[in-house]
Amino acid sequence: WDGREVLAASRWDSAAALFARTHAARHCFPCDAYAWAYALDRGGHADSAAHVEAAIVAEPNTDEADNNLDQVWYSVTLQHLGEYYQGKGDKAKAIAYLTRFTTLWQHADPDLQFRLKDAKNRIAELTTEH
């Protein structure tokens, strides 16, 4: 809860340090990794956040007590990674992450279709760039 408290206070570096520590002592995965990545990103450490996020989407969730985080954050993490790698100019990684996102969101609710459309537009833009 200490990490959530410092997140609420926008103390990004402190939150990242707390979540990194709890993640390192984890009994499961992703155990606090989503919050760690979020705090890193908000604190201006986009490269570190992307590194944590890539690990999240590469490993299966073993948090049997609460895997609801994946339902909320997994797809958002894929989208964020796609946008991050697009910004870095890594087309292959951007397309791979955005494609995984669009596959998960192919039946998104109508009020969320704009996110799916944006991801598909990004993929089209990336595949047609010379």
Side-chain angles (χ1 to χ4, degrees), residues 13-106:
D13 290 341
S14 296
L18 281 166
F19 288 120
R21 204 168 52 237
T22 58
H23 180 71
R26 68 185 183 189
H27 64 281
C28 62
F29 189 83
C31 289
D32 288 328
Y34 288 113
W36 179 22
Y38 177 78
L40 285 167
D41 189 57
R42 292 300 303 252
H45 309 286
D47 295 338
S48 296
H51 178 75
V52 173
E53 289 176 331
I56 291 170
V57 300
E59 292 187 40
N61 186 329
T62 62
D63 186 1
E64 294 175 11
D66 183 15
N67 65 8
N68 292 331
L69 288 176
D70 272 355
Q71 294 173 16
V72 175
W73 292 107
Y74 187 85
S75 60
V76 173
T77 299
L78 290 172
Q79 182 183 24
H80 186 256
L81 282 167
E83 293 169 356
Y84 169 82
Y85 282 111
Q86 182 180 17
K88 289 289 190 181
D90 190 331
K91 293 178 188 180
K93 283 186 179 179
I95 291 168
Y97 285 119
L98 290 169
T99 300
R100 287 174 63 188
F101 172 77
T102 59
T103 299
L104 283 175
W105 275 51
Q106 62 186 330

